[in-house]
């Protein structure tokens, strides 16, 4: 699965499928990178269900408080 934060993949034409999201939450003080990895994994699982080849235009939102949380959101696409 190709993951990019741009809205294109060089030399590839894509068909847009739908927006996919993933959440990653960990206890306070744990590295946000681990939460982002969990969010990516959830997002990839959603994209696989759609038979996507890539997720483009990925954006991350970070939260704090009593836990570290990350929302990953991107557009699942299929190569054509």
């Amino acid at each position: 699965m190709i993951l990019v934060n741009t809205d294109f993949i060089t030399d590839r034409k894509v068909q847009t499928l739908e927006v996919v999201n993933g959440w990653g939450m960990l206890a306070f003080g744990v590295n946000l990178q681990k939460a982002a990895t969990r969010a990516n994994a959830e997002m990839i699982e959603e994209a696989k269900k759609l038979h996507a080849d890539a997720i483009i235009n990925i954006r991350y939102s970070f939260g704090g408080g009593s836990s570290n949380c990350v929302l990953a959101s991107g557009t699942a696409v299929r190569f054509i």
Side-chain angles (χ1 to χ4, degrees):
M1 179 75 55
I2 297 172
L3 305 174
V4 296
N5 63 354
T6 60
D7 59 356
F8 65 92
I9 298 174
T10 304
D11 298 327
R12 296 287 190 147
K13 291 184 181 182
V14 296
Q15 172 190 10
T16 300
L17 300 174
E18 68 181 58
V19 173
V20 291
N21 298 301
W23 277 100
M25 295 182 73
L26 294 170
F28 183 75
V30 177
N31 188 330
L32 276 175
Q33 180 62 40
K34 289 182 182 181
T37 299
R38 282 188 180 182
N40 280 343
E42 282 190 17
M43 191 172 51
I44 290 168
E45 285 305 310
E46 280 192 47
K48 284 181 179 180
K49 291 176 187 174
L50 300 169
H51 304 286
D53 297 308
I55 304 172
I56 63 172
N57 204 25
I58 297 173
R59 300 292 181 253
Y60 296 95
S61 297
F62 300 92
S66 62
S67 65
N68 288 330
C69 57
V70 175
L71 169 65
S73 181
T75 304
V77 298
R78 184 177 299 139
F79 298 141
I80 54 173

